[in-house]
Amino acid sequence: MSSIAALKQLYADIDALQGAEALMAWDQQVFMPPGSAGARAAHLGCLLRMSHELFTSDKMQRLIEEAAKEAEPGTEDAATVRVLKRALDQRTKIPATLVEEKGRLGTLGHEIWAKARQDNDFGHFAPILGQLIELTKQEGECLGYTDHIYDALTDQYEEGATKKSWDHMFDGIRKPIVELVAAIKEAGPVDDSALYGDWPEADQRAFCDHIARAVGFDFNIGRQDTAVHPFCGGPSTTDVRLTTRFKNYLPSAIMGTLHEAGHGMYEQGTPVEWAGSPLAGGVSLGWHESQSRTWENIVGRSHAFWTFMLPKLHEAFPATKAFDADSFVKLLNKVEPSFIRVEADEVTYSLHIMVRFEIECALMDGSLAVKDLPEFWNEKYRSYLGIVPETDSVGCLQDVHWSAGAFGYFPTYAMGSILSYQVFDCLRADLGDVDAMMAKGEFAPILHWLQEKVYRQGKRYTPADLVQRVTGKAFGPEAYIAGISAKYKALYGI
Ligand code: ZN
């Protein structure tokens, strides 16, 4: 057997273990009885240890080295070696003691953070946040970097990204978005109170399933359930699990479903022959988010989409008959600076991320002390969004990420929004009148284009290479700025 074949065989075992982990983790959020957490943690812990040991085994290391000599440059095999080598590096560069200590502090940090958020007591969270930052810096030193420690951290989430590349991204959107938000504010408030109500859960569930099916999520190799925090998971690209939740704001579950279905269709788009291989699934967090946002924002918040879907909505929720496509889409795209990132609209969302990015960089290079974080946060919100949170609970304590020591993750969300427009512009150029298709409920050509160009490429190319291949240029904010400016200026008549 060739080294490449042996390497793929070894990885198939790791993938099987990881699939079992994913299914257990999904079940934990969806079906597991509350008293079963102890047993689940033990079982999951054992599987995680086994897959980690296989991944970091001498055999794996040796096979990667041998396969690297065997694989022809530019081939799928070469990509397989590259992907596995990067994953192995990430797992082995950081000493086990540091991983363990961060795991321990992260669990503790999560508990302390939840209490601090509940009590609006940043002082309670500050000491452990300081410890987590110190550990994360050590991690960055182990991983290595050339310019800024942030480079090492963020590369774990987005291959090839650096502080400089994120600076460039945010420099391109800061001024135009802040100005657009100000202009929208001038145009006056939008009253969307009609979207709040006692919408029956069973009706919401049926409508959400309908909408996921309509855009092309394949229920033959996927399903949708409810969970407290919606996510897309599951054991394999041929078994994708979406979750959603139902609220009194009608678009919440609908938009959430389209978002998670976007993640899910990306996974399901993996070529069948790659299922369970190192090349299966989305290439990076930023790319993944670009697809969830494509289906949620570009498709799901468009006039064309609701031209087709509104009669169905009227049928499911008769109270919505008061709306036509014009009025409904205007409410659905309401823009208003607010404190909570996860509830933010499409325009202000990136500003929330920019605040976090600037804070993370400052915390990592020591220019911001932990004790000064709340004031710094509030000042950034004032300058970018024009609002100042009244409490830290809805300010710097709102996100879970830092409590687990995840620094460098946030920018991938903004990258997703920005990249979604860059890719969709190319889709429009190829397919012609996409709005006319959506207005007739024809989503298949859109899905097929994305499958062909993006989903079927899996992890074959690096994230930056894939951007170049799909769009013909490097990642940049131009299409995003042009797209959302045009969309919201039209909606708000400015
Ligand atoms: Zn997402």
Side-chain angles (χ1 to χ4, degrees), residues 230-232 259-260 263 285 288-290 292-293 296 409 413:
F231 65 96
C232 169
H259 181 99
E260 300 308 336
H263 283 306
L285 287 175
H288 234 300
E289 204 60 14
S290 79
S292 58
R293 279 157 206 252
E296 177 193 356
Y409 189 117
Y413 292 127

Side-chain angles (χ1 to χ4, degrees), residues 145-153 163 360-362 364-365:
Y145 56 89
T146 320
D147 282 343
H148 196 285
I149 190 164
Y150 198 78
D151 302 352
L153 304 176
K163 175 182 180 294
E360 285 186 339
C361 292
M364 284 306 144
D365 65 24

Side-chain angles (χ1 to χ4, degrees), residues 194 198-200 203-204 207 250 310-324 328:
D198 220 352
W199 314 104
D203 296 341
Q204 289 198 55
F207 188 78
L250 184 59
L310 205 58
K312 266 276 170 201
L313 189 78
H314 289 163
E315 209 178 286
F317 307 97
T320 63
K321 283 184 180 156
F323 304 117
D324 58 12
F328 186 69

